[in-house]
Amino acid sequence: MSDFTVVGLRVVREAAACGSFSTAAENLGYTQSAVSRQIALMEQAAGRALFERHARGVRPTEAGRIVLRHAEVVLGELDNARLDIRHLAARPPGRLRVGAFSTAMAALVPRAIAEVAARDQPARIALREGVSPRLLTAVARQRLDLAVVTDPDASQAGVEIEILLDDPLLVALAPTHPLAGATRATPEMLRDQRWIAGSQEPDSTLLGAWRDAEWEPDIAFVARDWFAKIGLVSAGLGITVVPGIAVPVLPPTVALLRIDHPAAVRRTAIAHRRNDPRDAALRQSFAEALRDRAAELSAEVRHRLR
C-alpha cells in the first residue's frame, strides 16, 4: 500500500477546491496526467476512492473529506514550519504580524495599515493571508500577533476574540441581469440562477452560509480568484456571492443586491492572544484602526445598496 505524501495531499486539496483535475493541474503547474497519478496514489494509500467523477467535474467522497480534513492540518503545519524557520531571528520591536482572510485583504486591512502609518511612528507590518482556522491557530501559537477572521466561535485557548461586524453577503451580477434593478432578493428568487463559486462543494463557499437542504445550486464556473469571479459576472456568465467588505474594490461593471435571508451574513472579528505584552501599543492601535475602517466600510455598503 502506498503512503500519503505531501505532494499528493496538496493535489487532493487543490482538486477538491477546484472541483476539477484539469483546473487543479493548471493551478499547480502540473500536467493533468501527473495530477491523476497523484490522486491514484493517494486513493491507493487510503484504500478507497477519494473522489466521485462526474461529467462536470469531481467532488470528494466521504473518505475524501476525511483525508481533506487531515490534509489541511498537515499542510498548515508545514506552512507554519516554514514561517518559523524564516523568523528564527529575534523579532525586532515595532513589528506587527497580521493575518487576514482574502477579502479582508482587499480594503479593510489596507485601510487600517494606512491609518496606523498616518498617526503612529513607522512600523513594520508583516501580512499573511489564509483561511480563518489556520489564522486562529497561528495566533494561538504566537506566529501572528493579530488576525482578522470569520467564524469567530471556532476560537482556541488563549485567544481573545473581538467582533468587528456582521458583514452582509451580497449577490454580484451583470448590470444587464433582470435582477440588477433590485436592492435585495430572497433565496427563492435566486434558485434558478447559474452560480460562480470557489468550489463545486457549496458548503465550502459563501453559498453554504444561507442555502437550504432542498436547493442544490447550479455552479456553472469554479474560480477561486476574486478577479476571475467578477470577470465572469461582468460578462453575464453567472452570479456570485461577495462579502460586503469587498464592495469598495468592486468595479462598476457589476450590480449588487442584498440576500434577504437571516443567515446571509458573515461575522468578522479580530483575534489576538490574551495578555501578550509584546508591541501591545501597536497592536491596540491597529485594532482601533480596524474598528474605524470596519464602520466606514459598513457605511459604504449601505450607500451603494440604496
Side-chain angles (χ1 to χ4, degrees):
M1 180 178 289
S2 299
D3 291 327
F4 290 112
T5 65
V6 173
V7 171
L9 292 177
R10 289 193 189 281
V11 169
V12 168
R13 183 175 68 177
E14 189 67 24
C18 298
S20 165
F21 290 169
S22 59
T23 304
E26 291 176 10
N27 291 346
L28 294 171
Y30 296 162
T31 63
Q32 185 167 347
S33 61
V35 165
S36 297
R37 183 165 60 253
Q38 288 295 329
I39 296 293
L41 289 172
M42 294 303 94
E43 289 183 327
Q44 186 178 347
R48 297 192 180 198
L50 300 182
F51 290 93
E52 296 173 357
R53 279 74 166 173
H54 301 283
R56 294 178 59 188
V58 298
R59 66 173 59 189
T61 61
E62 183 176 0
R65 288 191 289 272
I66 292 172
V67 170
L68 280 169
R69 286 199 300 271
H70 291 283
E72 289 288 351
V73 174
V74 171
L75 296 174
E77 287 301 308
L78 289 175
D79 289 341
N80 289 333
R82 292 188 184 92
L83 286 173
D84 286 348
I85 292 170
R86 286 196 204 113
H87 297 111
L88 279 174
R91 183 161 62 97
R95 180 184 179 190
L96 196 66
R97 300 167 300 174
V98 175
F101 58 94
S102 60
T103 46
M105 289 284 195
L108 175 60
V109 171
R111 290 186 184 189
I113 293 173
E115 181 175 330
V116 169
R119 73 186 184 194
D120 293 330
Q121 293 295 323
R124 290 184 60 193
I125 296 179
L127 292 179
R128 174 178 170 184
E129 183 181 333
V131 295
S132 292
R134 290 191 197 174
L135 296 175
L136 284 166
T137 298
V139 172
R141 296 183 179 180
Q142 301 184 42
R143 292 170 178 142
L144 288 175
D145 303 305
L146 178 149
V148 181
V149 299
T150 60
D151 190 22
D153 294 333
S155 185
Q156 299 200 23
V159 177
E160 186 169 327
I161 297 293
E162 176 190 342
I163 303 301
L164 271 176
L165 76 162
D166 285 331
D167 192 31
L169 297 181
L170 312 173
V171 171
L173 33 77
T176 56
H177 192 281
L179 293 174
T183 57
R184 61 180 59 236
T186 64
E188 289 74 19
M189 296 168 64
L190 302 170
R191 286 183 184 274
D192 296 330
Q193 300 296 320
R194 303 181 77 210
W195 291 90
I196 299 158
S199 168
Q200 286 286 358
E201 291 292 319
D203 288 337
S204 67
T205 70
L206 295 179
L207 288 173
W210 52 273
R211 74 186 185 99
D212 58 53
E214 299 177 357
W215 174 56
E216 188 68 21
D218 176 13
I219 298 177
F221 295 97
V222 171
R224 298 181 70 183
D225 182 85
W226 279 102
F227 287 106
K229 289 180 183 176
I230 297 305
L232 291 165
V233 168
S234 299
L237 298 174
I239 65 176
T240 196
V241 177
V242 297
I245 58 173
V247 164
V249 298
L250 294 179
T253 53
V254 298
L256 296 171
L257 64 156
R258 189 184 292 267
I259 303 169
D260 195 2
H261 190 283
V265 294
R266 184 168 65 165
R267 180 157 286 187
T268 301
I270 301 171
H272 62 86
R273 283 192 61 79
R274 296 188 183 94
N275 305 317
D276 188 349
R278 297 175 303 173
D279 292 320
L282 180 56
R283 187 174 63 250
Q284 291 169 6
S285 178
F286 194 82
E288 181 181 343
L290 285 170
R291 290 190 288 271
D292 291 344
R293 297 312 113 207
E296 178 183 77
L297 286 170
S298 295
E300 288 185 30
V301 172
R302 291 193 297 270
H303 178 77
R304 181 154 179 182
L305 292 177
R306 284 178 183 170

